Amino acid sequence: MFMDVIRLPHRTEDLAPRQIQKVNRLRRPLIDDRGSRQHATNRRVKRAMADGLVAAGVTGVLDWGCGYHPLRPYLPRDVALVGVDIDPEVVAENRRLGLECYDPEDAALQYADRPPSALVSVFVFHFRLPTAHIAAMAELVGTDGFLLANVYRRDEQSRGRLVTAFRERGLQVTREKDPTEAATGHEFWFLARPRVTGNLADKVLHTVLRGMA
Ligand SMILES: C[S@@+](CC[C@H](N)C(=O)[O-])C[C@H]1O[C@@H](n2cnc3c(N)ncnc32)[C@H](O)[C@@H]1O
């Protein structure tokens, strides 16, 4: 039987890539186990976030930090999905299963000529996001796209620093608390240029919250 809690010696945002890789290996069977609490929460959050993407009318999605459980099963088949992950084993496994997937260092270049309508980051923003990754995400969001993420674990100061880093790259961050508290301090973030935010942030975030209820 697997322990259903992974205890970490550091804040998740202080973990180095190799430590993240170990967490990935430990977490995989928990999410795969259909009877586990993690599986149920993961499913509920993913379904709600996918609903938010569909409400925005996306045609192509980049799953940033797709892990061993990308968003594919939650999106309609006619929505194209590609991935990015910092863990080389995750990248290799997704490619083996037919999902185009790259390391964050290669993402901007690989996807520049076919930017997705949206980026999604599910259970990723509690990890450290290097400046280069924030820059790549902002570039791929471009002038017309958006990024939908969920955030937990980080304290308010750390969230504030992340908001500033994205704002410096031209993205406005709209935050909504998860009323069901699927995780402690759990929030959904919509990030985009101000014009897209004005048109879409409320629609997408309210759809996500409805899906969580
Ligand atoms: C908790 S898992 C979530 C996986 C998947 N999104 C899900 O919800 O099942 C976090 C994933 O993000 C990846 N990751 C962590 N930091 C990252 C970064 N800065 N850029 C890209 N991927 C990252 C990890 O390797 C891991 O696969």
Side-chain angles (χ1 to χ4, degrees):
M1 199 174 94
F2 293 104
M3 282 172 48
D4 73 346
V5 174
I6 302 172
R7 294 196 190 286
L8 300 171
H10 303 289
R11 295 183 308 172
T12 36
E13 64 204 85
D14 295 331
L15 293 175
R18 274 179 197 283
Q19 294 169 306
I20 293 176
Q21 197 165 11
K22 282 189 189 147
V23 174
N24 284 342
R25 284 198 208 122
L26 289 170
R27 182 177 180 268
R28 189 177 186 180
L30 289 176
I31 304 297
D32 282 338
D33 175 3
R34 289 178 172 269
S36 75
R37 201 163 35 87
Q38 282 83 354
H39 178 88
T41 304
N42 193 273
R43 225 179 127 79
R44 189 158 68 92
V45 170
K46 281 203 177 110
R47 185 176 293 145
M49 291 178 75
D51 286 353
L53 294 170
V54 170
V58 298
T59 54
V61 173
L62 168 52
D63 192 345
W64 190 287
C66 56
Y68 288 112
H69 307 88
L71 206 59
R72 180 69 276 169
Y74 299 87
L75 290 169
R77 282 318 306 181
D78 59 354
V79 173
L81 186 84
V82 292
V84 162
D85 204 281
I86 204 174
D87 179 342
E89 285 183 22
V90 165
V91 171
E93 172 77 350
N94 279 311
R95 285 188 184 169
R96 198 179 63 76
L97 296 172
L99 179 76
E100 189 175 0
C101 193
Y102 296 102
D103 181 271
E105 304 293 318
D106 303 325
L109 197 63
Q110 291 293 342
Y111 297 127
D113 58 346
R114 47 193 169 118
S117 358
L119 278 71
V120 70
S121 234
V122 193
F123 297 115
V124 177
F125 271 36
H126 53 301
F127 291 108
R128 196 170 75 85
L129 292 178
T131 311
H133 296 189
I134 291 173
M137 285 188 245
E139 209 174 307
L140 287 164
V141 164
T143 49
D144 299 326
F146 67 89
L147 164 57
L148 177 65
N150 66 333
V151 184
Y152 69 117
R153 278 185 190 259
R154 284 180 184 264
D155 64 23
E156 192 46 47
Q157 237 184 359
S158 163
R159 291 178 200 219
R161 282 195 296 272
L162 202 51
V163 168
T164 303
F166 277 108
R167 196 183 296 141
E168 283 170 357
R169 298 279 166 183
L171 298 187
Q172 193 172 333
V173 183
T174 311
R175 299 166 57 171
E176 279 285 350
K177 282 192 190 349
D178 167 11
T180 72
E181 287 245 8
T184 311
H186 190 217
E187 293 179 340
F188 294 100
W189 288 16
F190 180 100
L191 303 93
R193 310 264 162 200
R195 181 184 52 82
V196 178
T197 297
N199 288 338
L200 274 182
D202 283 353
K203 184 178 190 176
V204 170
L205 288 170
H206 292 168
T207 304
V208 174
L209 294 193
R210 252 200 318 278
M212 290 297 292

